[in-house]
């Protein structure tokens, strides 16, 4: 099983197009230790030929251009792709907008929860992906699903999805009640366990998570690799940076640091390799020379970058 991180930033990417915070300025200036990143997505393959995307970010065209494995083979038909399926972990814009760039009548399958499928159904723009060519399939929770391409042929990638604490997508919030509780534990946000026939371990991909609870800790025990929500380092990070008024918790994302953070919450869980993904442009760990980056590494975590690859 091969897994490639093709996008490691949170929504907006890094640097974000309109962000003038110090980290974005450093990335634009080419500062050593501050790497640009595209928006959150990974790709997995059990055979090196057929690939499954997990989330379709607005940067998907760039990500394909930077990833030869996701490009048409030299001897392939004039219109072709090795992308056989796309799994969606929620309905956030940075996870579904890239579907619109895959609209060239190319067969592949979409897998998502009932909530996410309903969101696609409710927005007619997604009909540019003709369901007769790009079938939409329900990803049932707590069941192992052998992912298949549009024609029903197995890709070799097997997933098990499970709900994690999160929230509904921002654009689905009721603007008339901005102080309402938009959190959700009912499958609006999911994590996935990725494995395949013959692979020695499982990779967990959880790019959005509001808290670490006992159920999640138990599920992650003995994982070979965890790709986990690294949106913010501190809960009030965006407020302190002067670029927003929401905490990480309000956005449905747990902080890395602190007593209630993910580093502390998962410290005693046996996990082979732990990597932060979905990193916001305000997160100081984006600077490899920062104290925060050093603290993350000292705690046994890695900070994902685009192009990072692992094999199991």
């Amino acid at each position: 099983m091969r897994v490639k991180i093709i996008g490691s930033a949170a929504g907006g990417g890094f640097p974000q197009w309109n962000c003038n915070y110090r980290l974005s300025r450093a990335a634009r200036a080419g500062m050593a230790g501050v790497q640009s990143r595209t928006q959150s997505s990974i790709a997995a393959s059990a055979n090196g030929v057929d690939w499954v995307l997990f989330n379709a970010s607005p940067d998907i065209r760039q990500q394909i251009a930077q990833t030869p494995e996701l490009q048409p083979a030299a001897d392939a038909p004039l219109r072709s792709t090795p992308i056989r399926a796309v799994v969606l972990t929620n309905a956030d814009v940075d996870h579904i907008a890239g579907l619109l760039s895959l609209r060239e009548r190319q067969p592949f399958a979409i897998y998502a929860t009932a909530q996410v499928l309903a969101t696609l159904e409710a927005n007619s723009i997604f009909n540019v992906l003709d369901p007769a060519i790009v079938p939409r399939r329900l990803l049932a929770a707590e069941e192992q699903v052998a992912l298949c391409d549009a024609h029903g042929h197995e890709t070799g990638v097997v997933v098990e999805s499970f709900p994690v604490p999160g929230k509904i997508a921002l654009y689905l919030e009721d603007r008339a009640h901005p102080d309402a509780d938009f959190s959700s534990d009912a499958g609006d946000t999911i994590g996935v366990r990725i494995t395949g026939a013959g692979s020695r371990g499982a990779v967990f991909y959880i790019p959005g998570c509001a808290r670490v609870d006992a159920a999640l800790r138990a599920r992650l025990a003995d994982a070979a690799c965890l790709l986990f929500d690294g949106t913010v380092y501190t809960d009030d990070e965006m407020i302190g940076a002067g670029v927003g008024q929401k905490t990480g918790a309000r956005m449905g994302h747990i902080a890395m640091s602190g007593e209630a953070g993910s580093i502390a919450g998962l410290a005693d869980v046996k996990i082979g390799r732990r990597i932060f993904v979905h990193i916001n442009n305000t997160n100081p760990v984006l600077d490899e020379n920062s104290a925060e980056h050093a603290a993350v590494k000292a705690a046994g975590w890695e900070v994902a970058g685009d192009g990072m690859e692992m094999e199991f």
Side-chain angles (χ1 to χ4, degrees), residues 50-140:
D50 303 302
W51 287 84
V52 176
L53 293 185
F54 291 81
N55 294 323
S57 91
D59 297 324
I60 193 167
R61 182 184 178 280
Q62 177 183 347
Q63 291 166 342
I64 292 172
Q66 294 174 168
T67 311
E69 294 92 335
L70 301 181
Q71 301 166 12
D75 58 352
L78 293 177
R79 291 287 189 270
S80 63
T81 179
I83 298 171
R84 308 302 183 204
V86 178
V87 176
L88 304 174
T89 63
N90 62 22
D92 285 354
V93 168
D94 52 316
H95 286 162
I96 67 172
L99 292 172
L100 301 177
S101 295
L102 303 179
R103 64 188 183 277
E104 309 295 344
R105 299 186 66 79
Q106 184 68 46
F108 65 93
I110 295 173
Y111 287 85
T113 63
Q115 294 96 315
V116 176
L117 291 178
T119 298
L120 299 182
E121 180 68 23
N123 288 269
S124 59
I125 192 171
F126 288 103
N127 290 336
V128 296
L129 296 169
D130 184 349
I133 299 172
V134 182
R136 303 174 186 180
R137 296 172 180 157
L138 178 65
L139 194 61

Side-chain angles (χ1 to χ4, degrees), residues 218-298:
R219 188 183 297 274
L220 295 177
D222 296 319
C225 181
L226 169 64
L227 307 176
F228 192 76
D229 185 350
T231 306
V232 293
Y233 187 76
T234 57
D235 189 51
D236 62 352
E237 177 181 301
M238 292 185 65
I239 298 172
V243 300
Q245 296 301 316
K246 293 181 180 179
T247 63
R250 172 61 179 83
M251 297 186 296
H253 297 288
I254 188 174
M256 295 179 177
S257 65
E259 293 182 1
S262 55
I263 293 176
L266 295 170
D268 60 351
V269 180
K270 184 180 178 182
I271 299 170
R273 188 175 179 185
R274 50 190 79 199
I275 304 171
F276 282 121
V277 295
H278 197 275
I279 305 162
N280 195 56
N281 56 74
T282 55
N283 193 323
V285 303
L286 290 169
D287 180 357
E288 296 174 10
N289 303 304
S290 68
E292 293 85 356
H293 188 96
V296 165
K297 290 185 65 177

Side-chain angles (χ1 to χ4, degrees), residues 10-25:
F14 179 66
Q16 183 174 299
W17 70 278
N18 67 336
C19 183
N20 203 30
Y21 183 58
R22 63 176 182 84
L23 291 169
S24 289
R25 293 200 307 271

